[in-house]
Amino acid sequence: MKQKDREKKLTGAQGFDAYYSNLFGERWQAIKNAFSLAPDYAEWKSGGEKSYFLDSASVRAAVSLPLENASDILDLCAAPGGKTLVLACNMGENAQLLSNERSPERKNRLLNTVRDCLPQEIQSRVQVICKDGAVMCRANESSFDAILLDAPCSSERHVLADEKYLSEWSPSRIKTLSMAQWALLSSAWRMLRAGGYLLYSTCALSPDENDCVIEKLLKKFDDAKLCEPKIALNYNEFTKSALPEYEKTQFGAHVLPDKANGAGPLYFCLLQKNH
């Protein structure tokens, strides 16, 4: 049996190591070691009763979504709510933010985040809902000027920290997740208005959940244009944390913890829909 085939059949901790060693080579050990460090959390102060702590790489991704002239904004997979706060603090005075979460339990966490962390004036323009983002496009085609899709993913940092999840790991999980990510991304694209921006992000390491999902979008929709993810939103007013640098990938950007003081992993890609 070829080495590659043997690795495909591996599951659990041994399979996990083999899979990511194949992706990152000698660097995998440094990434793995960085996972044992505390994440680089940024304290985000939105003006509400409480602060919110989120990975500084998540802030870096969220502030890449341009909101200038955006009146209708969507956070498609929004719980627990950190990126919703970043968007809400930066949207225009007449803009509305729809924050969606499919899981009822996680939707309640999102709702609490909005209530606890945002001032009332901004809260009044944030609506929290509980729907399946993969089918929301059926009733919301071309409805939003800006969309953030932080898709459910492998979240290897959490897998590695949990013996149960690590023992159950297999490469088929990545394939299943990438299919779900594509369903969400294609739905989000249909909900985006011409000229609007979409930011896709995950906390996954595998290209199958990152660049490969974007590549599929670029092949299917000829109105999709890649954009450089420059910092487009204000963050200095809300956090004292420095934002990490990213490494360029084929289509997007990746913050990896071994070279970002523990921040990430966080992949993000900015797209614009052509008129």
Side-chain angles (χ1 to χ4, degrees):
M1 184 184 292
K2 294 181 180 179
Q3 177 67 19
K4 190 174 181 181
D5 293 333
R6 282 199 297 270
E7 289 181 358
K8 282 183 177 179
K9 289 185 176 297
L10 288 175
T11 58
Q14 188 177 6
F16 185 88
D17 256 350
Y19 182 88
Y20 290 101
S21 291
N22 186 54
L23 282 180
F24 290 97
E26 293 181 359
R27 188 179 178 185
W28 169 235
Q29 191 58 48
I31 293 173
K32 199 173 164 187
N33 290 343
F35 283 158
S36 65
L37 304 174
D40 182 37
Y41 284 121
E43 181 181 7
W44 188 270
K45 296 181 179 180
S46 308
E49 294 179 3
K50 297 180 181 179
S51 294
Y52 189 91
F53 292 85
L54 71 164
D55 194 310
S56 61
S58 293
V59 177
R60 179 60 185 89
V63 298
S64 301
L65 180 63
L67 295 181
E68 188 177 1
N69 301 319
S71 58
D72 298 294
I73 305 160
L74 172 64
D75 190 351
L76 189 56
C77 299
K83 294 185 181 71
T84 275
L85 298 180
V86 176
L87 299 183
C89 289
N90 281 280
M91 64 182 178
E93 291 182 359
N94 297 315
Q96 304 284 329
L97 172 60
L98 185 64
S99 291
N100 175 67
E101 175 55 47
R102 179 179 179 176
S103 159
E105 181 181 349
R106 285 172 57 81
K107 179 249 187 181
N108 287 333
R109 287 183 63 194
L110 171 62
L111 195 59
N112 288 335
T113 298
V114 170
R115 287 174 176 168
D116 292 343
C117 301
L118 287 174
Q120 187 58 47
E121 185 279 325
I122 298 179
Q123 279 188 47
S124 65
R125 294 185 287 117
V126 178
Q127 182 184 1
V128 176
I129 61 172
C130 185
K131 294 186 181 296
D132 180 356
V135 297
M136 273 180 63
C137 59
R138 295 174 185 172
N140 297 280
E141 189 166 350
S142 301
S143 295
F144 300 97
D145 304 299
I147 298 175
L148 192 153
L149 168 55
D150 186 30
C153 68
S154 284
S155 188
E156 291 90 352
R157 179 189 281 273
H158 296 104
V159 171
L160 199 58
D162 190 303
E163 288 187 11
K164 179 177 181 292
Y165 287 142
L166 186 58
S167 67
E168 295 172 349
W169 183 90
S170 75
S172 63
R173 185 171 184 266
I174 293 171
K175 183 177 181 181
T176 300
L177 283 164
S178 67
M179 291 170 64
Q181 290 154 357
W182 167 245
L184 286 164
L185 182 58
S186 57
S187 176
W189 194 253
R190 290 178 170 91
M191 289 190 279
L192 188 65
R193 290 172 180 152
Y197 290 93
L198 186 152
L199 186 86
Y200 173 81
S201 67
T202 78
C203 55
L205 291 172
S206 174
D208 286 349
E209 300 182 54
N210 298 328
D211 273 347
C212 292
V213 182
I214 296 298
E215 183 176 25
K216 195 169 182 179
L217 183 85
L218 294 171
K219 287 181 177 178
K220 183 172 180 62
F221 297 99
D222 58 11
D223 57 356
K225 180 179 75 170
L226 288 171
C227 301
E228 183 181 351
K230 297 178 182 179
I231 293 177
L233 305 179
N234 176 25
Y235 69 92
N236 289 314
E237 184 181 336
F238 306 104
T239 184
K240 294 180 180 179
S241 296
L243 301 188
E245 297 293 328
Y246 63 78
E247 302 171 38
K248 290 185 177 180
T249 68
Q250 184 179 5
F251 300 119
H254 219 172
V255 177
L256 294 169
D258 62 322
K259 294 187 178 180
N261 195 35
L266 207 294
Y267 170 89
F268 54 105
C269 178
L270 180 65
L271 301 131
Q272 185 178 27
K273 181 178 277 192
N274 290 326
H275 289 281

